Coordinates of all heavy atoms in Angstrom, one line a residue:
L1185 N 0.9 -1.2 0.0 CA 0.0 0.0 0.0 C 0.9 1.2 0.0 O 2.1 1.1 0.3 CB -0.9 0.0 1.2 CG -1.9 -1.1 1.3 CD1 -2.4 -1.2 2.8 CD2 -3.0 -1.0 0.4
Y1186 N 0.3 2.4 -0.3 CA 1.1 3.6 -0.4 C 0.7 4.5 0.8 O -0.5 5.0 0.7 CB 0.9 4.3 -1.7 CG 1.8 5.5 -2.0 CD1 3.1 5.3 -2.5 CD2 1.4 6.8 -1.7 CE1 3.9 6.4 -2.7 CE2 2.2 7.9 -1.9 CZ 3.4 7.7 -2.4 OH 4.3 8.8 -2.7
P1187 N 1.5 4.7 1.8 CA 1.1 5.4 3.0 C 1.2 6.9 2.8 O 2.2 7.4 2.3 CB 2.0 4.9 4.1 CG 3.3 4.6 3.3 CD 2.8 4.1 2.0
L1188 N 0.3 7.7 3.4 CA 0.3 9.1 3.4 C -0.1 9.7 4.7 O -0.9 9.0 5.4 CB -0.6 9.7 2.3 CG -0.2 9.4 0.9 CD1 -1.4 9.5 -0.1 CD2 0.9 10.3 0.4
V1189 N 0.4 10.8 5.1 CA -0.1 11.5 6.3 C -0.5 12.9 6.0 O 0.3 13.7 5.3 CB 1.1 11.5 7.4 CG1 0.6 12.2 8.7 CG2 1.6 10.1 7.7
A1190 N -1.7 13.3 6.3 CA -2.2 14.6 6.1 C -1.5 15.6 7.1 O -1.6 15.4 8.3 CB -3.7 14.7 6.3
R1191 N -0.8 16.6 6.6 CA -0.1 17.5 7.4 C -1.0 18.4 8.3 O -0.6 18.9 9.3 CB 0.9 18.3 6.6 CG 2.0 17.5 6.0 CD 3.2 18.4 5.5 NE 4.2 17.7 4.8 CZ 5.2 17.1 5.4 NH1 5.4 17.1 6.7 NH2 6.1 16.4 4.7
S1192 N -2.2 18.5 7.8 CA -3.2 19.3 8.6 C -3.5 18.6 9.9 O -4.1 19.3 10.8 CB -4.5 19.5 7.8 OG -5.2 18.2 7.7
G1193 N -3.2 17.4 10.0 CA -3.5 16.6 11.2 C -4.8 15.9 11.2 O -5.2 15.1 12.1
D1194 N -5.7 16.1 10.2 CA -7.0 15.5 10.1 C -7.2 15.0 8.6 O -7.2 15.9 7.7 CB -8.1 16.4 10.5 CG -9.4 15.7 10.7 OD1 -9.5 14.5 10.3 OD2 -10.3 16.3 11.2
K1195 N -7.3 13.8 8.4 CA -7.5 13.2 7.1 C -8.9 13.1 6.6 O -9.2 12.9 5.4 CB -6.9 11.8 7.0 CG -7.7 10.8 7.9 CD -7.0 9.5 8.0 CE -7.8 8.7 9.1 NZ -7.0 7.6 9.6
R1196 N -9.9 13.3 7.5 CA -11.3 12.9 7.2 C -11.8 13.6 5.9 O -12.3 12.9 5.0 CB -12.1 13.3 8.4 CG -13.4 12.5 8.5 CD -13.4 11.0 8.3 NE -12.3 10.3 8.9 CZ -11.8 9.1 8.4 NH1 -12.2 8.6 7.3 NH2 -10.8 8.5 9.0
K1197 N -11.7 14.9 5.7 CA -12.3 15.5 4.6 C -11.6 15.1 3.3 O -12.2 14.9 2.3 CB -12.3 17.0 4.7 CG -13.3 17.6 5.7 CD -13.2 19.1 5.8 CE -14.3 19.5 6.8 NZ -14.2 21.0 7.0
L1198 N -10.2 15.0 3.4 CA -9.5 14.5 2.2 C -9.9 13.1 1.8 O -10.1 12.8 0.6 CB -8.0 14.6 2.6 CG -7.0 13.9 1.5 CD1 -7.2 14.6 0.2 CD2 -5.6 14.0 2.0
V1199 N -10.0 12.2 2.8 CA -10.3 10.8 2.5 C -11.7 10.7 1.9 O -12.0 10.0 0.9 CB -10.2 9.9 3.7 CG1 -10.9 8.6 3.6 CG2 -8.7 9.8 4.1
E1200 N -12.6 11.5 2.4 CA -14.0 11.5 1.9 C -14.0 12.0 0.4 O -14.7 11.5 -0.4 CB -14.9 12.4 2.7 CG -15.3 11.8 4.1 CD -16.0 12.7 5.0 OE1 -16.4 13.8 4.6 OE2 -16.2 12.3 6.2
F1201 N -13.2 13.1 0.1 CA -13.1 13.6 -1.2 C -12.6 12.6 -2.2 O -13.1 12.4 -3.3 CB -12.3 14.9 -1.2 CG -12.1 15.6 -2.5 CD1 -13.1 16.4 -3.0 CD2 -11.0 15.3 -3.3 CE1 -12.9 17.1 -4.2 CE2 -10.9 15.9 -4.5 CZ -11.8 16.8 -5.0
L1202 N -11.5 11.9 -1.7 CA -10.9 10.9 -2.6 C -11.9 9.8 -2.9 O -12.0 9.4 -4.0 CB -9.6 10.4 -1.9 CG -8.4 11.3 -1.8 CD1 -7.3 10.7 -0.9 CD2 -7.9 11.7 -3.2
E1203 N -12.5 9.3 -1.8 CA -13.5 8.2 -2.0 C -14.6 8.6 -2.9 O -15.0 7.8 -3.8 CB -14.0 7.7 -0.6 CG -13.0 7.0 0.2 CD -12.8 5.6 -0.1 OE1 -13.6 5.0 -0.8 OE2 -11.8 5.0 0.3
E1204 N -15.2 9.8 -2.7 CA -16.3 10.2 -3.6 C -15.8 10.3 -5.0 O -16.6 10.2 -5.9 CB -16.8 11.6 -3.1 CG -17.6 11.5 -1.8 CD -17.8 12.8 -1.2 OE1 -17.5 13.9 -1.8 OE2 -18.4 12.9 -0.1
G1205 N -14.5 10.6 -5.3 CA -14.0 10.7 -6.6 C -13.5 9.4 -7.2 O -12.9 9.4 -8.3
G1206 N -13.6 8.3 -6.5 CA -13.2 7.0 -7.1 C -11.8 6.6 -6.7 O -11.3 5.6 -7.3
V1207 N -11.2 7.2 -5.7 CA -9.9 6.7 -5.2 C -10.1 6.1 -3.8 O -10.5 6.7 -2.9 CB -8.9 7.9 -5.0 CG1 -7.6 7.5 -4.5 CG2 -8.7 8.6 -6.4
E1208 N -9.8 4.7 -3.8 CA -10.0 4.0 -2.6 C -8.9 4.3 -1.6 O -7.8 4.5 -1.9 CB -10.0 2.5 -2.8 CG -11.3 1.9 -3.3 CD -11.2 0.4 -3.3 OE1 -10.8 -0.2 -2.3 OE2 -11.7 -0.2 -4.3
T1209 N -9.3 4.4 -0.3 CA -8.4 4.6 0.8 C -8.6 3.6 1.9 O -9.6 2.9 1.9 CB -8.6 6.0 1.4 OG1 -9.8 6.1 2.0 CG2 -8.4 7.1 0.3
R1210 N -7.6 3.5 2.7 CA -7.7 2.6 3.9 C -7.1 3.4 5.1 O -6.0 4.0 4.9 CB -7.0 1.3 3.7 CG -7.5 0.4 2.7 CD -8.8 -0.3 3.1 NE -9.3 -1.2 2.2 CZ -10.2 -0.9 1.2 NH1 -10.6 0.3 1.1 NH2 -10.6 -1.8 0.4
D1211 N -7.7 3.3 6.2 CA -7.1 3.9 7.4 C -5.8 3.2 7.8 O -5.8 2.0 7.7 CB -8.0 4.0 8.6 CG -9.1 5.0 8.4 OD1 -8.9 6.0 7.7 OD2 -10.1 4.9 9.1
L1212 N -4.8 3.9 8.3 CA -3.7 3.3 8.9 C -4.1 3.0 10.3 O -4.7 4.0 11.0 CB -2.5 4.2 8.9 CG -1.3 3.7 9.5 CD1 -0.1 3.8 8.5 CD2 -0.9 4.4 10.8
L1213 N -4.0 1.8 10.8 CA -4.5 1.5 12.1 C -3.4 1.1 13.1 O -3.1 -0.1 13.2 CB -5.6 0.4 12.0 CG -6.8 0.8 11.2 CD1 -7.7 -0.5 11.0 CD2 -7.6 1.8 11.9
P1214 N -2.8 2.0 13.8 CA -1.9 1.6 14.8 C -2.6 0.6 15.8 O -3.8 0.8 16.1 CB -1.4 2.9 15.5 CG -1.7 3.9 14.4 CD -2.9 3.4 13.7
L1215 N -1.8 -0.3 16.4 CA -2.4 -1.3 17.2 C -3.2 -0.8 18.5 O -4.1 -1.4 19.0 CB -1.4 -2.3 17.7 CG -0.8 -3.2 16.6 CD1 0.3 -4.1 17.2 CD2 -1.9 -4.1 16.0
I1216 N -2.8 0.4 18.9 CA -3.4 0.9 20.2 C -4.9 1.1 20.1 O -5.5 1.2 21.2 CB -2.7 2.2 20.7 CG1 -2.9 3.3 19.8 CG2 -1.2 1.9 21.0 CD1 -2.5 4.7 20.4
N1217 N -5.4 1.3 18.9 CA -6.9 1.5 18.9 C -7.7 0.3 18.4 O -8.8 0.4 18.1 CB -7.2 2.8 18.0 CG -6.9 2.5 16.5 OD1 -6.2 1.6 16.2 ND2 -7.4 3.4 15.7
Q1218 N -7.0 -0.8 18.4 CA -7.7 -2.1 18.0 C -8.6 -2.5 19.2 O -8.2 -2.4 20.3 CB -6.8 -3.1 17.6 CG -5.9 -2.8 16.4 CD -6.8 -2.6 15.2 OE1 -7.6 -3.5 14.8 NE2 -6.7 -1.4 14.6
P1219 N -9.8 -2.9 18.9 CA -10.7 -3.3 20.0 C -10.2 -4.3 21.1 O -10.4 -4.1 22.3 CB -12.0 -3.9 19.3 CG -11.9 -3.2 18.0 CD -10.5 -3.0 17.6
V1220 N -9.5 -5.3 20.6 CA -8.9 -6.2 21.6 C -7.9 -5.6 22.5 O -7.9 -5.9 23.7 CB -8.3 -7.5 20.8 CG1 -7.1 -7.1 20.1 CG2 -8.0 -8.6 21.8
Y1221 N -7.1 -4.7 22.0 CA -6.1 -4.0 22.9 C -6.8 -3.0 23.8 O -6.4 -2.8 24.9 CB -5.0 -3.4 22.1 CG -4.2 -4.5 21.4 CD1 -4.2 -4.6 20.0 CD2 -3.4 -5.4 22.1 CE1 -3.5 -5.6 19.4 CE2 -2.7 -6.4 21.5 CZ -2.7 -6.5 20.1 OH -2.0 -7.5 19.6
M1222 N -7.8 -2.3 23.3 CA -8.5 -1.4 24.1 C -9.2 -2.1 25.2 O -9.3 -1.6 26.4 CB -9.5 -0.6 23.3 CG -8.8 0.4 22.3 SD -9.8 1.6 21.5 CE -10.2 2.7 22.9

């Protein structure tokens, strides 16, 4: 996969714009927010 980080600190609007335009995205999921670890 090709990883990116939004310098604004919030990816949500960018990801929604990409998805609406036909570019699939996936969240990067560090382990600390996985349900089993929480």
Side-chain angles (χ1 to χ4, degrees):
L1185 296 164
Y1186 188 85
L1188 293 161
V1189 181
R1191 291 196 187 273
S1192 69
D1194 190 351
K1195 66 187 170 197
R1196 205 45 44 211
K1197 287 182 181 175
L1198 171 58
V1199 165
E1200 288 172 8
F1201 180 84
L1202 293 171
E1203 290 279 343
E1204 288 169 5
V1207 177
E1208 277 191 48
T1209 66
R1210 296 284 183 270
D1211 284 341
L1212 180 127
L1213 297 172
L1215 289 175
I1216 63 167
N1217 68 344
Q1218 297 299 303
V1220 67
Y1221 293 112
M1222 290 189 75

